Amino acid sequence: MLSRRIFTGCAICAAIGLVADDAAAQTPSGIKRTITSRIDGPVPGYETVQVIVDVEPNVVIDWHTHPGTEAGYALEGMSELQVKDRATQMLKPGSSWVTAPETPHALKNGAQATKLFVTFTVQKGKPLATPVAAPT
């Protein structure tokens, strides 16, 4: 059996880690993904995907990367965003962040549900998220 932490780490890729062409990917327990927009560009070979991500209380999204830029805005809740080589950022309503392509990062949700609006500008046809080991 998988522990909740390991399952969540694998599950985040299913939650937001769909291959860019597969909008019907299964969403795991604890995370709900709603794609609000998907368009080609801004340059050939890339697409921009906008997503509302609802995260249940105390869920941990383990370390992962994206094949492009992730820009987000916290709508509700409180969580901790860890990004390799950066201080932990506390996300609360009104907070925003940008993560560079292929940069390992993780999210630990607080005691209340969190809602995030995330824009990914990523290489088309690649998995949106790939799990990685925690940085040392």
Side-chain angles (χ1 to χ4, degrees):
M1 291 192 50
L2 294 174
S3 72
R4 180 176 169 99
R5 181 176 171 93
I6 291 171
F7 174 77
T8 303
C10 296
I12 186 58
C13 291
I16 62 172
L18 63 150
V19 172
D21 294 346
D22 184 8
Q26 288 288 84
T27 302
S29 176
I31 303 167
K32 178 183 173 195
R33 171 193 22 84
T34 305
I35 297 172
T36 61
S37 175
R38 171 181 272 142
I39 61 170
D40 287 341
V43 296
Y46 280 77
E47 70 175 340
T48 300
V49 183
Q50 294 184 313
V51 182
I52 299 276
V53 180
D54 291 288
V55 185
E56 289 183 6
N58 303 309
V59 167
V60 174
I61 300 173
D62 233 346
W63 291 93
H64 62 283
T65 62
H66 303 288
T69 302
E70 172 191 43
Y73 182 82
L75 299 167
E76 299 173 6
M78 300 272 294
S79 56
E80 296 177 13
L81 176 65
Q82 296 175 284
V83 179
K84 181 182 179 184
D85 297 328
R86 283 200 245 167
T88 298
Q89 180 180 355
M90 298 303 297
L91 299 180
K92 60 184 180 182
S95 298
S96 63
W97 75 94
V98 176
T99 305
E102 304 299 338
T103 301
H105 57 286
L107 184 96
K108 181 180 179 185
N109 200 26
Q112 297 178 355
T114 293
K115 183 181 294 268
L116 307 170
F117 180 73
V118 185
T119 300
F120 298 97
T121 304
V122 293
Q123 294 177 42
K124 196 169 187 175
K126 288 196 173 185
L128 194 56
T130 302
V132 295
T136 55

